[in-house]
């Protein structure tokens, strides 16, 4: 089947308008000339020719290489460290332990103060390790080869402690504890409710209960992490190049850990080879590299290896959820409850149990459920800490709720699509407040119908029936999931109330340069999505210049304004875009009196287009932004007398609320009943993400997210044995999908502007992944129904499980 | 011993120790002179016999467009051409390239004019973070060299050795097909 990509196509807008519910994306204040166009990305030529410089490509004179000797024990006391042999190796500059870094170094800081018990961990481990991969010793050598030679010669003696590996074991009474003085392994807990869920369950016609497990996963960006620190002992300044999504958080935390005053810490971000949330975190290695550079007075660089990444970079997702759904006979859901046990790994990493909190408050998904309750217990285990990965708790919630909807549909013998239709939040209830958040807008049923049409569900159902009738070896299943995504994070005060010591605002600085070109500075940070292209389009439209006049600068804490957050939480297009829009409008307001003065007209009569400012009705009476820039910086004599030289504005945008894109996923899965292999052969996403800055980039985000979600359903799981030893920590064991396992994607798009974001944008970065596991597993269930197979309640669904389901009958 | 072998790091530590022993003997001033034609220019260098081709290209020649994405020869980020054949440069020693002809990602554009495959990737949004891209583009050129008009399935199967985490492959496949039909 052909790929149908409909993002931005007029007929989709027409479709939406014909239904009378969703309009075309029109920014009523800013004319759209560049916004919405699939402009090619500016960064691509450098990336395609190998010119772009990733962290490992940087070269500073005199740089030596750092490597970390990591714990091979899951839980142990460090008895003795022998470094003599390593020190004696050629090219070795230093071998350092926590003692050498100094015991006055504070524990790793955190942005999320969620009322949990403290779980301190340090740049290098002291006395005790709690997971395989915890860094204990840093070896520094002149070359990478000499470093590799020396690292294996560091010897560490351990005294083993009992390990806690399984999530439920960690939560059980009498389990060994990871932290002295704790009665159990519960690092934090949370509960939220609306209505009376117990009464709703007691009075319901049908109640379905299930225990659902979501496996341990990780972002696995193709570029690992890395950092290069350079200490200027005379100026007492530290420059840290690091592969991160959040340069200002890194800067503040490096200052805290090293004691170097904040203005003297300069974080610079080279080309980033993917992040997916894992690089939102501040890591022990960043602290260690900075501290080592200061101790040695040498630039030092660390490049994470792939196998190292699997034990040193945050994992995510792992949770067990006991869920209940209650409904009337007609399919009206009256209550949902979920008890979540979330596996934090060995320490509460930077975002603490934030993702599990989001799982809890998203426990009603897109449905009008009057009674709901979610409880969450965050437990520590002897595994790598968990944290951020694209979706941040939402894929877990979506999987639970959408699975429960499927189970309920089965119980009621209803069509799963119709069950969803009956319970979707209707547009007249928007804005709708669920367990915590308020959904800003949405025409869910329109998207549901458009999605079914886009996916050609009727045709697939006919094909499925044909194959079933023929007893075809390859059987088909069709699964759907409806999703909503928390984007444009977020309202700073709301975030503080939720326990976060960080903001959700963005600050944008825009300067009209003396030659008439425009520089946008943002604290957001590219990790490869290309959102800076969208920001350039937004700036060009709001300022009235040609998009090629605009340059966007990111990733430098000296040059760029402070941001409360960095890039993540699908906020760059929405919050960043609105901040750029606000600053560009303000800058245009500063340009107007200058242009009116030069053209001897009223400000109201000025027309801005592609950098030319003309008098309405007399296009030949015009000046360019170059004329304005020259006057503003070099020839103040041409300015009105009351206007000071310079044209630079800084504006802050702090959203009043989050923006919520939504949509329907339809997965068609083919199962080879002889090999038990499941393959997604068709996959459709119909979505609404508000105003689209660049449809090409939106489509790319959906493709990538969907691929990761399909992989979560079928392939990816980080495995540990009972001793806490990782069993598949490299690309030979942890299988991320190749082109062979992925389908073509069909995308369809409609636009409902977000009422809470000026410009109307909603985020899209995590949308593709959220509903994907539920749709794929639903399709597998559907395919195996004739075999009498029970629904799958955990991910990934492996060929082994499918084989057993088929043969058990 | 059985318990020990199951432990994380055991293998890497064994490899490091062997490497240290070998390195001690071989790196003590012991180098081999090789001459490799790289992107059309003969390059003569003294290299350690244990140096991988990818490290020779990146560190000795400073051609950092070729990336390293794994340590198990799984990801293909380091793919370049040796005598016109797509090769994962982590699977060869630099000394094995002596007398051979190597083309890296830096060697395929003509000045400012991108190679048709580079152009196809740009026009079809076949890249996001760009880290797998140099290897992906070199592999893609190799695919079309062997099969100038592949089907979509043939492209997907031939790309199996190159991993991308951003694109879901949709636009990579589209780019390669566009280049083939362009």
């Amino acid at each position: 089947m052909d790929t149908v990509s409909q993002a931005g196509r007029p007929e989709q807008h027409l479709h939406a308008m014909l239904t009378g519910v969703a309009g075309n994306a029109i920014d009523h204040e800013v004319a759209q000339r560049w916004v919405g166009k699939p402009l090619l990305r500016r960064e691509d030529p450098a990336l395609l020719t190998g010119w772009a410089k990733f962290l490992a490509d940087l070269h500073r004179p005199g740089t030596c290489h750092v490597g970390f000797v990591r714990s091979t024990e899951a839980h142990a006391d460090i008895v003795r460290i022998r470094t003599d042999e390593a020190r004696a190796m050629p090219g070795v500059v230093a071998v350092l332990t926590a003692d050498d870094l100094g015991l006055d170094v504070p524990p790793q800081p955190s942005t999320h103060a969620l009322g949990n018990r403290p779980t301190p961990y340090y740049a290098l481990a002291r006395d005790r390790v709690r997971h395989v991969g915890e860094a204990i010793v840093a070896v520094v050598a002149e070359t990478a080869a000499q470093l590799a030679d020396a690292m294996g010669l560091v010897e560490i003696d351990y005294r083993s402690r009992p390990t806690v590996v399984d999530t439920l074991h960690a939560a059980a009474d009498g389990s060994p504890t990871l932290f002295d003085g704790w009665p159990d392994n519960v690092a934090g807990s949370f509960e939220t409710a609306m209505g009376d869920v117990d009464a709703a369950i007691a009075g319901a016609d049908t109640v379905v209960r299930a225990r659902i497990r979501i496996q341990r996963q990780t972002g696995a960006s193709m570029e690992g992490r890395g950092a290069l620190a350079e200490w200027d002992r005379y100026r007492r300044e530290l420059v840290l190049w690091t592969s991160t999504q959040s340069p200002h958080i890194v800067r503040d935390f490096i200052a805290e850990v090293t004691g170097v005053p904040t203005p003297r810490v300069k974080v610079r971000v080279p080309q980033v080879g993917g992040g997916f949330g894992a690089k939102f975190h501040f890591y022990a290695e960043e602290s260690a590299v900075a501290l080592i550079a200061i101790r040695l007075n040498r630039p030092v660089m660390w490049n994470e290896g792939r196998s190292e990444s699997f034990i040193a970079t945050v994992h995510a997702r792992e949770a067990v959820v006991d869920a209940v759904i209650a409904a009337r006979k007609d399919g009206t859901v009256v209550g949902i409850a979920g008890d979540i046990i979330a596996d934090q790994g060995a320490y509460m990493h930077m975002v603490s149990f934030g993702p599990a909190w989001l799982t809890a408050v998203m426990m009603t998904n897109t449905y009008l459920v009057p009674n709901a309750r979610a409880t969450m217990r965050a437990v520590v285990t002897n595994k790598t800490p968990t944290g951020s990965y694209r979706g941040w708790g939402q894929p877990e919630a979506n999987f639970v709720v959408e699975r429960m909807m499927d189970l309920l549909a089965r119980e009621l013998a209803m069509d799963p699509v119709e069950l969803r239709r009956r319970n979707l939040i209707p547009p007249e209830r928007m804005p709708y407040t669920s367990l915590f958040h308020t959904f800003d807008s949405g025409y869910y049923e329109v998207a549901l119908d458009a999605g079914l049409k886009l996916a050609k569900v009727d045709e697939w159902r006919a094909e499925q029936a044909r194959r079933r009738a023929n007893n075809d070896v390859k059987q088909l299943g069709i699964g759907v999931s409806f999703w909503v995504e928390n984007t444009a994070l977020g309202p700073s005060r709301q975030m503080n109330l939720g326990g976060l010591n960080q903001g959700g605002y963005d600050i944008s600085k825009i300067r009209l340069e003396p030659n008439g070109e425009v520089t946008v500075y943002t604290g957001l940070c590219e990790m490869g999505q290309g959102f800076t292209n969208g920001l350039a389009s937004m700036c060009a439209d709001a300022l009235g210049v040609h998009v090629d006049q605009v340059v966007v600068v990111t990733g430098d804490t000296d040059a760029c304004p402070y941001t409360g957050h960095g890039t993540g939480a699908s906020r760059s297009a929405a919050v960043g875009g609105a901040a750029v829009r606000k600053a560009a409008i303000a800058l245009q307001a500063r340009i107007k009196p200058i242009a009116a003065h030069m053209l001897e007209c009223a400000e109201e009569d000025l027309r801005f287009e592609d950098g030319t400012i003309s008098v309405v009705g007399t296009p030949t009476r015009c000046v360019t932004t170059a004329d304005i820039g020259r006057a503003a910086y070099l020839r103040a004599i041409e300015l009105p007398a009351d206007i000071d030289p310079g044209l630079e504005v800084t504006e802050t945008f702090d959203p009043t609320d989050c923006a919520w894109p939504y949509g329907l996923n339809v997965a068609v899965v083919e199962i080879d009943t002889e090999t038990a292999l499941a393959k997604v052969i068709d996959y459709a996403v119909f979505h609404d993400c508000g105003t689209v800055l660049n449809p090409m980039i939106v489509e790319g985000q959906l493709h990538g997210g969907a691929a990761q979600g399909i992989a979560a359903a079928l392939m990816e799981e980080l495995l540990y044995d009972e001793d806490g030893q990782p069993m598949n920590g490299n690309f030979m064991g942890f299988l991320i999908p190749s082109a062979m396992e992925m389908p073509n994607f069909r995308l369809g798009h409609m636009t409902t502007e977000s009422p809470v974001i000026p410009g109307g944008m909603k985020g899209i970065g995590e949308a593709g992944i959220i509903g994907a596991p539920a749709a794929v597993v639903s399709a597998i269930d559907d395919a195996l129904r004739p075999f009498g197979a029970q629904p799958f309640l955990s991910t990934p669904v492996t060929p082994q499980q499918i084989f057993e389901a088929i043969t058990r009958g | 011993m059985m318990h020990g072998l199951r432990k994380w790091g055991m293998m890497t530590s064994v490899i490091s120790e062997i490497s240290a022993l070998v390195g001690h003997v071989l790196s003590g001033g012991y180098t081999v002179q090789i001459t490799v034609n790289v992107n059309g220019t003969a390059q003569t260098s003294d290299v350690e016999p244990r140096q991988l081709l990818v490290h020779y290209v990146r560190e000795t020649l400073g051609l950092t467009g070729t990336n390293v994405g794994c340590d198990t020869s799984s990801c293909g980020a380091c793919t370049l051409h040796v005598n016109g054949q797509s090769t994962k440069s982590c699977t060869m020693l630099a000394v094995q390239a002596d007398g051979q002809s190597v083309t890296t990602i830096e060697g395929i554009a003509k000045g400012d004019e991108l190679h048709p495959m580079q152009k196809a990737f740009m026009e079809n949004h076949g890249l996001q973070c760009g880290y797998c891209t140099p290897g992906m583009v070199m592999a893609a050129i190799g695919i079309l060299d062997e099969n100038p008009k592949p089907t979509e399935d043939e492209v997907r199967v031939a790309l199996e050795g190159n991993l991308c985490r951003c694109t879901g492959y949709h636009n990579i496949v589209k780019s390669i097909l566009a280049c083939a039909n362009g």
Side-chain angles (χ1 to χ4, degrees):
Chain A
M1 288 201 158
D2 292 336
T3 307
V4 183
S5 175
Q6 295 176 302
R9 290 249 180 101
E11 60 267 29
Q12 281 305 327
H13 291 143
L14 184 64
H15 162 80
M17 280 194 292
L18 280 174
T19 62
V21 289
N24 199 352
I26 292 171
D27 189 329
H28 300 288
E29 206 175 339
V30 172
Q32 287 183 358
R33 174 159 161 68
W34 304 106
V35 165
K37 287 204 167 60
L39 302 180
L40 299 184
R41 304 198 318 168
R42 296 141 173 239
E43 57 270 51
D44 285 359
L47 291 166
L48 282 159
T49 53
W51 179 258
K53 300 289 181 282
F54 295 94
L55 199 280
D57 305 337
L58 301 181
H59 180 74
R60 302 294 299 168
T63 299
C64 33
H65 295 258
V66 181
F68 296 98
V69 180
R70 298 178 181 277
S71 175
T72 56
E73 294 282 324
H75 196 189
D77 296 312
I78 300 168
V79 177
R80 192 156 71 122
I81 302 173
R82 277 171 291 194
T83 60
D84 300 351
E85 269 192 85
R87 278 180 213 277
M89 288 294 285
V92 170
V93 176
V95 181
L96 303 107
T97 63
D99 284 343
D100 300 315
L101 294 185
L103 295 177
D104 53 341
V105 171
Q108 286 292 103
S110 178
T111 49
H112 288 45
L114 296 177
N116 49 290
R117 296 176 180 144
T119 58
Y121 63 102
Y122 297 87
L124 291 174
R126 303 173 177 182
D127 308 332
R128 184 167 169 184
V129 286
R130 292 183 178 83
H131 70 94
V132 170
E134 197 168 346
I136 301 172
V137 178
V139 180
V140 188
E142 298 288 350
T143 71
Q146 289 168 332
L147 175 66
D149 291 345
M151 286 204 17
L153 301 179
V154 172
E155 286 183 39
I156 301 169
D157 294 338
Y158 302 93
R159 188 185 308 112
S160 295
R161 284 172 174 267
T163 54
V164 181
V165 181
D166 178 69
T167 309
L168 293 177
H169 181 218
D173 291 339
S175 164
T177 54
L178 267 69
F179 291 90
D180 295 338
W182 289 25
D184 52 31
N185 289 307
V186 181
S189 60
F190 171 80
E191 183 168 350
T192 181
M194 57 197 247
D196 185 343
V197 80
D198 293 325
I201 291 169
D205 298 328
T206 302
V207 177
V208 180
R209 297 172 194 273
R211 170 166 285 182
I212 294 174
R213 290 170 192 261
I214 294 107
Q215 80 275 36
R216 183 169 271 252
Q217 301 164 50
T218 188
S221 55
M222 291 309 297
E223 184 208 28
R225 291 185 294 120
L228 193 169
E230 194 171 27
W231 169 243
D232 182 335
R233 66 193 297 186
Y234 300 105
R235 291 194 180 87
R236 309 206 67 73
E237 287 180 354
L238 182 79
V239 180
L240 185 78
W241 282 266
T242 181
S243 188
T244 187
Q245 299 171 217
S246 50
H248 281 90
I249 290 175
V250 172
R251 183 195 67 154
D252 291 1
F253 284 174
I254 285 288
E256 190 175 331
V257 169
T258 61
V260 176
T262 306
R264 294 178 186 274
V265 178
K266 292 139 193 304
V267 172
R268 291 175 192 155
V269 184
Q271 197 79 42
V272 174
F276 307 115
K279 288 182 185 170
F280 179 69
H281 287 238
F282 176 68
Y283 284 91
E285 292 87 353
E286 288 168 317
S287 296
V289 165
L291 291 163
I292 293 166
I294 295 170
R295 299 288 180 276
L296 299 182
N297 277 309
R298 290 276 305 267
V300 294
M301 179 178 197
W302 166 68
N303 294 301
E304 186 184 60
R306 179 58 55 190
S307 301
E308 185 180 26
S309 184
F310 273 102
I311 51 174
T313 291
V314 289
H315 296 170
R317 303 271 198 267
E318 187 168 23
V320 179
V321 184
D322 286 328
V324 189
I325 192 165
R328 289 203 289 264
K329 272 197 289 277
D330 66 358
T332 305
V333 176
V334 294
I336 292 180
D339 295 321
I340 304 158
I341 300 176
D343 193 322
Q344 300 297 303
Y347 303 100
M348 302 295 264
H349 215 267
M350 191 179 87
V351 301
S352 185
F353 61 67
W357 171 85
L358 190 53
T359 305
V361 300
M362 292 302 293
M363 206 39 78
T364 56
N365 195 21
T366 48
Y367 304 114
L368 198 65
V369 184
N371 308 291
R373 182 177 61 223
T375 68
M376 190 278 298
R377 279 187 294 160
V379 296
V380 288
T381 56
N382 292 118
K383 294 179 284 192
T384 293
T386 56
S388 305
Y389 173 35
R390 197 178 206 168
W392 217 76
Q394 296 171 96
E396 297 93 305
N398 186 278
F399 187 71
V400 170
V401 180
E402 292 298 277
R403 281 280 70 196
M404 294 310 286
M405 290 298 274
D406 279 357
L407 296 183
L408 180 62
R410 211 176 250 250
E411 191 71 21
L412 295 170
M414 270 183 82
D415 177 353
V417 171
E418 293 314 307
L419 179 67
R420 284 170 172 81
R421 184 191 301 283
R422 179 174 290 271
N423 290 285
L424 285 173
I425 301 162
E428 62 271 18
R429 294 291 299 269
M430 293 288 175
Y432 176 82
T433 301
S434 63
L435 279 165
F436 179 83
H437 294 105
T438 299
F439 299 160
D440 62 328
S441 60
Y443 296 91
Y444 293 170
E445 199 175 353
V446 176
L448 179 79
D449 285 324
L452 296 171
K453 200 172 155 202
L454 173 74
K456 304 190 175 181
V457 167
D458 292 343
E459 290 175 31
W460 281 117
R461 284 282 174 219
E463 173 65 11
Q464 181 188 45
R466 196 189 61 76
R467 293 196 193 189
R468 282 183 180 173
N470 293 348
N471 271 333
D472 207 314
V473 170
K474 291 186 175 177
Q475 289 292 319
L476 283 185
I478 299 141
V480 303
S481 68
F482 206 93
W483 52 268
V484 66
E485 188 202 350
N486 178 214
T487 77
L489 191 70
S492 296
R493 289 169 179 83
Q494 202 184 89
M495 288 166 67
N496 294 155
L497 281 175
L500 277 66
N501 289 326
Q502 64 173 90
Y505 56 86
D506 197 48
I507 305 176
S508 192
K509 180 169 89 175
I510 307 186
R511 184 193 301 143
L512 183 75
E513 302 288 355
N515 74 345
E517 301 212 330
V518 180
T519 314
V520 178
Y521 298 89
T522 170
L524 298 166
C525 195
E526 270 285 1
M527 56 171 147
Q529 322 93 308
F531 71 83
T532 45
N533 296 275
L535 297 189
S537 294
M538 175 53 89
C539 176
D541 279 353
L543 193 53
V545 299
H546 193 286
V547 71
D548 289 346
Q549 287 179 266
V550 183
V551 171
V552 180
V553 178
T554 68
D556 183 332
T557 55
D558 275 355
C560 298
Y562 194 86
T563 174
H565 202 109
T567 282
S570 302
R571 63 194 301 276
S572 296
V575 181
V580 166
R581 183 180 175 280
K582 189 174 175 183
I585 289 171
L587 182 59
Q588 195 191 56
R590 292 266 305 273
I591 292 172
K592 278 181 179 170
I594 302 172
H597 176 75
M598 293 169 95
L599 292 168
E600 296 179 337
C601 70
E603 285 184 34
E604 299 76 47
D605 294 338
L606 293 171
R607 183 167 182 275
F608 286 73
E609 190 179 285
D610 281 358
T612 298
I613 307 157
S614 59
V615 181
V616 174
T618 323
T620 49
R621 261 179 77 196
C622 64
V623 289
T624 65
T625 50
D627 298 324
I628 301 287
R630 193 174 60 249
Y633 293 93
L634 310 177
R635 293 192 53 79
I637 196 167
E638 293 173 20
L639 296 175
D642 59 342
I643 289 182
D644 288 328
L647 271 174
E648 183 175 301
V649 301
T650 301
E651 289 286 341
T652 302
F653 175 71
D654 195 358
T656 54
D657 222 323
C658 294
W660 298 81
Y662 57 90
L664 182 81
N665 295 342
V666 181
V668 180
V669 172
E670 185 179 76
I671 294 181
D672 185 322
T673 54
E674 287 177 350
T675 64
L677 196 69
K679 190 172 192 301
V680 177
I681 58 169
D682 198 17
Y683 194 92
V685 182
F686 190 88
H687 75 106
D688 179 351
C689 66
T691 305
V692 170
L693 296 181
N694 183 326
M696 183 184 83
I697 288 171
V698 164
E699 291 183 12
Q701 288 300 302
L702 286 167
H703 294 157
Q708 287 174 326
I710 292 169
L714 296 175
M715 303 168 75
E716 296 175 3
E717 179 172 21
L718 290 158
L719 296 165
Y720 283 80
D721 74 6
E722 65 276 15
D723 298 324
Q725 294 292 325
M727 303 212 291
N728 60 346
N730 58 42
F731 277 158
M732 293 180 87
F734 183 85
L735 300 178
I736 69 170
S738 78
M740 287 198 302
E741 288 87 30
M742 286 296 113
N744 262 313
F745 298 100
R746 299 164 192 270
L747 306 179
H749 169 71
M750 65 184 249
T751 298
T752 315
E753 291 169 69
S754 171
V756 298
I757 301 294
M761 297 80 71
K762 300 178 176 185
I764 197 67
E766 298 159 282
I769 202 169
I770 290 172
V776 173
V777 176
S778 180
I780 295 170
D781 278 358
D782 187 48
L784 297 183
R785 233 174 149 160
F787 297 87
Q790 290 304 304
F792 288 97
L793 299 175
S794 62
T795 45
V797 178
T798 61
Q800 177 70 28
Q801 290 168 4
I802 292 173
F803 175 76
E804 285 167 12
I806 292 172
T807 49
R808 216 183 287 137
Chain B
M1 186 61 188
M2 279 313 289
H3 182 73
L5 275 177
R6 275 170 51 225
K7 284 201 174 150
W8 186 263
M10 196 61 192
M11 279 310 288
T12 44
S13 121
V14 168
I15 290 165
S16 293
E17 278 177 42
I18 293 168
S19 159
L21 286 171
V22 174
H24 199 62
V25 176
L26 298 186
S27 65
Y30 186 81
T31 56
V32 179
Q33 191 177 78
I34 60 170
T35 299
V36 187
N37 186 308
V38 181
N39 299 330
T41 305
Q43 303 275 4
T44 300
S45 320
D46 295 322
V47 301
E48 284 187 41
R50 62 172 172 168
Q51 189 180 37
L52 295 174
L53 180 58
V54 61
H55 294 138
Y56 163 74
V57 166
R58 286 181 52 83
E59 292 159 22
T60 308
L61 303 181
L63 295 170
T64 55
T66 303
N67 292 325
V68 177
C70 72
D71 40 25
T72 48
S73 296
S74 308
C75 79
C78 67
T79 304
L80 42 67
H81 291 179
V82 179
N83 300 329
Q85 290 278 317
S86 283
T87 304
K88 291 182 180 181
S89 58
C90 65
T91 62
M92 256 179 87
L93 295 167
V95 291
Q96 292 177 287
D98 187 26
Q100 317 291 311
S101 180
V102 168
T103 308
T104 70
I105 191 69
E106 289 91 345
I108 60 171
K110 292 195 178 100
D112 281 344
E113 193 192 329
L114 296 178
H115 184 281
M117 189 62 78
Q118 290 170 317
K119 205 157 167 272
F121 269 67
M122 176 152 178
E123 288 170 353
N124 293 284
H125 192 29
L127 66 155
Q128 289 182 29
C129 84
Y131 197 77
C132 76
T133 305
M136 200 63 83
V137 167
M138 298 309 282
I141 293 171
I143 290 169
L144 295 196
D145 282 348
E146 286 185 14
N147 182 1
K149 295 284 176 196
T151 63
E152 185 199 315
D153 278 349
E154 286 170 342
V155 171
R156 287 184 180 275
V157 170
L159 268 185
E160 185 255 352
N162 289 73
L163 298 178
C164 167
R165 192 62 162 162
C166 295
T167 64
Y169 303 99
H170 181 107
N171 284 344
I172 291 176
V173 173
K174 194 171 155 193
S175 302
I176 297 170
L177 291 173
C179 186
N181 299 317

